[in-house]
Amino acid sequence: MRNRPLAAIILAAGQGTRMKSDTHKVLHPIAGRPMLHHLLDKVAELGAAKTVVVVGARSEQVEASVAGRDIEIAHQTEQLGTGHAVQMAQDALKGFDGDVLILYGDVPLVRTETMAAMIARLQTEAALGTIVLGFRPDEAAAYGRIIAGSDGIIKKMVEFKDASETERAVNLCNSGLMAVRSADLFDLLDRVGNDNAAGEYYLPDIVGLAAGDKRPSAVIEADAWEVAGVNSRAELAQVEASWQEHRRAEAMAAGVTLIAPETVWFAHDTILGRDVTVEPHVIFGPGVTLADGATIHGFSHVSGATMESGAAAGPFARLRLGAVLKEGAKIGNFVEMKKATLGKGAKASHLTYLGDADIGAGANIGAGTITCNYDGYFKYRTEIGEGAFVGSNSSLVAPVKIGKGAIIGAGATVTQDVADDALALVRAEQKEKAGWAKRFRDAMLAKKNKG
């Protein structure tokens, strides 16, 4: 249990030039949610009393993105290093007495449990000056190294370029994420110098300063994937892939069947029940809930939709915002739904568009049926009663109601309400002219031969 309040400082002032984008780097999405918001949600889950986002270039984009949240914005008008960026949050945290997490807006995957572990160690060991989040990558490369004892107490932190061969052989690296008491943080930052090649104020220097005050620091270790940063489109794709890999594993561990896991892409808020089956090449957008036993067949795209137990969709189905499949309802190949409810046991098996519609339990929607819901200016609803049968290639021009048990003959264009249990036929009477086709062909061939 925490015994002190928590604040978070999220650094988001970088230029992000390698992204080559007009969108601020931290607003690029992972699993359908901006990177920054992944962190904001985790910090909120930890119960942070204050959250400060430090911005620089394109600050207006970040401010607009967090509008409505209990977030304070601090501006770093000059890019003078990470230590300087954290200092920009000092006014926002004036009077705050507690612990401070320092995070990076382009390092979005760090787990809530990892943050909590950092704070827990800081609070349980009063002698510690700071907590540093370390990791062990497959390739340590040019990361700064952390030299620590078996108890996690840091003996030395050294940049790769300054490290000896022995120190370079250590694979414990510095992620840059830290936890510090507010009472210590800004005092330490005030003492950080910029006597280095870049002339910048580096946040990790506070570890050495705290050690000089007889306040050692400790390292908490995270998995390397948690602290992967995003500086380019390629790294964005890598972090997305990492998030998806872990989400797939979570889903399968919870009782979801993924036939080809690597081909399924989840959104940040996808909710899946037990015994859900997801076939290959399915994409989930935000706002999807699948109840126990639901099935998504291959090559389907689902966003903003709900499927109740035993419902099925696809293959090649598209469920858009507001689509609801009730218990046991089914849509098949090349069926699209938007703001429509398909009642219990109802089905639309092929080549159908159901928009702004309510379809009753047990109804059958024939191939090629569409609800004509838009007149170019406004949207209108279609209501189809329980047990109704809509024949193939029908157009239902909204607003229109099809009664319970009614039958719509194939090829109909329905513009008026249909009563319960009625048969509606809306098409020209079929006529046959004997021999007409042969006479037509003969005449056309003769004309062609003359040419």
Side-chain angles (χ1 to χ4, degrees):
M1 295 291 291
R2 284 206 316 272
N3 52 32
R4 290 193 297 268
L6 174 66
I9 299 173
I10 302 176
L11 304 186
Q15 297 283 345
T17 54
R18 288 170 55 194
M19 293 294 288
K20 293 181 171 56
S21 175
D22 293 331
T23 300
H24 194 292
K25 178 170 66 172
V26 302
L27 300 182
H28 282 264
I30 299 292
R33 171 178 287 178
M35 288 188 281
L36 175 62
H37 288 253
H38 280 269
L39 290 175
L40 292 175
D41 288 343
K42 293 170 187 176
V43 166
E45 186 178 338
L46 283 173
K50 282 183 171 291
T51 301
V52 184
V53 179
V54 180
V55 297
R58 296 176 180 153
S59 60
E60 69 285 352
Q61 293 184 14
V62 177
E63 292 185 60
S65 177
V66 302
R69 286 181 175 259
D70 186 17
I71 305 296
E72 296 195 49
I73 297 292
H75 292 267
Q76 185 188 26
T77 55
E78 295 182 274
Q79 307 296 299
L80 301 179
T82 53
H84 177 258
V86 175
Q87 275 189 309
M88 298 302 98
Q90 186 168 4
D91 286 346
L93 293 182
K94 187 175 182 180
F96 175 78
D97 184 16
D99 300 313
V100 181
L101 268 173
I102 300 170
L103 308 169
Y104 291 80
D106 57 3
V107 181
L109 301 189
V110 58
R111 297 182 306 133
T112 306
E113 294 84 353
T114 299
M115 298 180 194
M118 295 170 68
I119 295 300
R121 179 135 197 201
L122 185 66
Q123 292 198 349
T124 54
E125 298 184 45
L128 293 178
T130 74
I131 302 296
V132 177
L133 187 61
F135 67 108
R136 298 181 189 270
D138 292 335
E139 297 290 338
Y143 288 112
R145 302 300 203 268
I146 300 174
I147 313 302
S150 59
D151 58 358
I153 298 300
I154 296 173
K155 299 175 181 178
K156 184 179 182 180
M157 284 177 55
V158 59
E159 295 298 321
F160 178 81
K161 65 182 183 301
D162 299 322
S164 67
E165 288 301 315
T166 300
E167 290 166 341
R168 289 181 179 182
V170 172
N171 69 346
L172 181 57
C173 300
N174 177 23
S175 72
L177 282 67
M178 301 183 73
V180 192
R181 297 178 186 85
S182 61
D184 300 328
L185 176 59
F186 296 108
D187 174 66
L188 290 169
L189 287 171
D190 285 341
R191 293 150 57 192
V192 171
N194 66 341
D195 186 15
N196 51 62
E200 293 187 349
Y201 300 89
Y202 294 132
L203 177 62
D205 288 355
I206 68 175
V207 172
L209 291 168
D213 296 338
K214 309 300 184 185
R215 304 280 305 283
S217 295
V219 61
I220 292 289
E221 293 192 38
D223 292 331
W225 65 267
E226 288 188 65
V227 294
V230 175
N231 292 294
S232 66
R233 304 283 183 150
E235 290 176 350
L236 180 68
Q238 290 167 3
V239 170
E240 175 79 42
S242 180
W243 188 96
Q244 294 292 341
E245 179 183 356
H246 287 88
R247 181 65 184 90
R248 294 169 192 140
E250 289 176 357
M252 290 186 287
V256 174
T257 295
L258 304 180
I259 305 299
E262 68 281 2
T263 68
V264 176
W265 292 79
F266 291 113
H268 63 94
D269 59 352
T270 305
I271 299 173
L272 305 173
R274 290 182 60 173
D275 294 317
V276 164
T277 297
V278 183
E279 290 188 354
H281 301 287
V282 171
I283 297 174
F284 291 94
V288 174
T289 299
L290 271 61
D292 295 352
T295 299
I296 300 286
H297 295 288
F299 296 94
S300 296
H301 191 289
V302 186
S303 182
T306 300
M307 294 177 61
E308 295 186 359
S309 60
F316 297 99
R318 187 178 182 199
L319 296 177
R320 295 166 57 195
L321 182 65
V324 177
L325 273 68
K326 293 291 188 177
E327 182 181 350
K330 296 182 180 181
I331 64 170
N333 48 291
F334 303 105
V335 174
E336 178 179 352
M337 290 180 63
K338 186 272 298 180
K339 291 185 179 178
T341 297
L342 193 61
K344 182 177 180 180
K347 59 183 179 179
S349 297
H350 341 267
L351 304 162
T352 292
Y353 172 69
L354 301 173
D356 297 282
D358 295 291
I359 298 100
N364 183 92
I365 310 301
T369 296
I370 62 172
T371 56
C372 306
N373 58 331
Y374 185 48
D375 65 2
Y377 299 94
F378 301 101
K379 297 287 183 74
Y380 304 93
R381 294 197 71 80
T382 297
E383 296 181 23
I384 300 173
E386 295 180 6
F389 184 97
V390 179
S392 297
N393 199 35
S394 294
S395 299
L396 310 180
V397 182
V400 69
K401 296 181 180 181
I402 310 299
K404 295 178 181 180
I407 295 176
I408 307 300
T413 298
V414 180
T415 59
Q416 300 177 23
D417 292 352
V418 178
D420 293 354
D421 298 316
L423 169 65
L425 298 172
V426 192
R427 59 184 179 221
E429 181 182 354
Q430 182 171 319
K431 295 180 179 180
E432 184 175 318
K433 297 182 178 181
W436 187 93
K438 185 177 184 302
R439 293 193 297 273
F440 174 77
R441 287 193 299 271
D442 291 345
M444 297 307 291
L445 283 171
K447 186 175 181 180
K448 183 176 182 179
N449 291 336
K450 284 183 180 179

